[in-house]
Amino acid sequence: MDGLPYLRAGSGPSFVLVHGYLGGAEQWRHELDHFSNRYDVIAPNLPGFGAAADRPACDTIAGMAEAVFGLLDELAVGDFILLGHSMGGMVVQEMARMRPQSVLRLILYGTGPLGLMPDRFEPIATSRERLLTDGVEATIGRIGATWFKRGAEARGYRLITQIGACARRPAAEAGLGAMAAWDGRSALTSLTMPTLVVWGDADRSYRWPQVETLWTNLPDVRLSVIPGASHAAHLEKPALFHSLIEDFLSEPATAENAEDR
């Protein structure tokens, strides 16, 4: 079987976007359009999700990280800017731990360092029980509504439910198990690349204590809080989301990090 399906646009430094649970590359269409005039934007589909629904599911965050590395190796992409959303934020933290020399800059969006998220809108065990009872389509419809301040009435809700419904049940179940088993807190102080943490102040999946842990433990970190946005801030407030990332990417590298490269 061929490698992971992906979307790609533009030229320049490589900018890799990793989606989260029940997500897919299609959720990054606005970002591909916006950043492709300056960057080689690459958006993979994680195994079992989106356009990779026919791929065997990964039951660990490390396995998902290796799958993305496999694609980047196939594309001969040696170093890159790396952004991860939600579960994808766990994946990119793992990638940065595995190959720190490859990650030019790291963007952790709507995510945290602990997979078993405290104060999540519902425990992961409950999400798993509901998934097994209700199925994938109903699960993304219900969970996806919590990703927006306006719930199912929000712009972007239809898109994320369409993408999420593509996932196979084994992948959806494996993803929940992978998150529950992952803890990246011990690696944070070793992630020395410039890092941006982006968080919507109404996020019901990753609450402030998780974000604060990133902010206070990463060595070279900036924090951007998007007001009036929840877990899918890139769909709720795309212009602000893009401007925060542009500002971060425009910062000159510190002398220390430049020497490391």
Side-chain angles (χ1 to χ4, degrees):
M1 183 178 291
D2 294 334
L4 293 178
Y6 61 94
L7 298 176
R8 189 176 193 178
S11 61
S14 294
F15 187 6
V16 180
L17 311 176
V18 182
H19 67 79
Y21 182 67
L22 296 181
E26 288 288 342
Q27 76 182 51
W28 301 121
R29 282 289 185 183
H30 292 312
E31 286 63 46
L32 268 84
D33 291 343
H34 185 83
F35 290 102
S36 59
N37 64 336
R38 286 152 289 176
Y39 298 96
D40 170 25
V41 188
I42 303 167
N45 291 273
L46 293 173
F49 297 98
D54 59 336
R55 271 48 171 191
C58 292
D59 60 3
T60 65
I61 297 298
M64 297 180 201
E66 291 287 8
V68 178
F69 276 136
L71 171 64
L72 297 178
D73 290 344
E74 288 175 17
L75 299 177
V77 174
D79 53 36
F80 42 85
I81 300 158
L82 188 57
L83 181 154
H85 176 231
S86 193
M87 182 182 77
M90 303 177 196
V91 174
V92 302
Q93 288 175 69
E94 196 69 11
M95 291 175 68
R97 182 191 66 79
M98 291 175 172
R99 298 190 195 176
Q101 72 283 357
S102 296
V103 182
L104 302 173
R105 292 176 184 256
L106 182 63
I107 302 171
L108 303 177
Y109 159 42
T111 192
L114 185 62
L116 200 60
M117 293 87 83
D119 301 323
R120 184 174 179 260
F121 63 90
E122 69 183 17
I124 284 183
T126 300
S127 295
R128 182 179 183 277
E129 291 169 5
R130 297 286 302 270
L131 169 68
L132 297 178
T133 300
D134 303 338
V136 172
E137 187 171 351
T139 295
I140 184 57
R142 181 178 62 82
I143 289 179
T146 72
W147 296 352
F148 299 90
K149 284 255 324 188
R150 296 182 57 233
E153 300 301 316
R155 177 181 63 181
Y157 173 78
R158 182 178 178 185
L159 173 65
I160 64 97
T161 55
Q162 289 174 338
I163 295 170
C166 295
R168 303 285 174 86
R169 184 178 296 194
E173 188 174 359
L176 291 172
M179 287 191 284
W182 183 80
D183 186 342
R185 289 175 294 183
S186 64
L188 291 178
T189 56
S190 69
L191 305 184
T192 59
M193 65 286 297
T195 301
L196 173 67
V197 175
V198 181
W199 181 65
D201 68 353
D203 195 326
R204 295 176 57 195
S205 297
Y206 296 82
R207 304 289 191 166
W208 170 248
Q210 282 244 70
V211 177
E212 185 179 30
T213 301
L214 293 175
W215 185 37
T216 56
N217 285 277
L218 288 161
D220 187 1
V221 64
R222 305 108 178 96
L223 172 65
S224 292
V225 178
I226 300 180
S230 187
H231 192 51
H234 70 294
L235 295 171
E236 291 181 292
K237 296 197 171 183
L240 180 53
F241 181 77
H242 293 160
S243 69
L244 293 172
I245 291 174
E246 286 173 343
D247 181 70
F248 170 63
L249 296 181
S250 70
E251 291 183 4
T254 63
E256 180 181 353
N257 281 304
E259 290 172 3
D260 290 343
R261 303 297 169 193

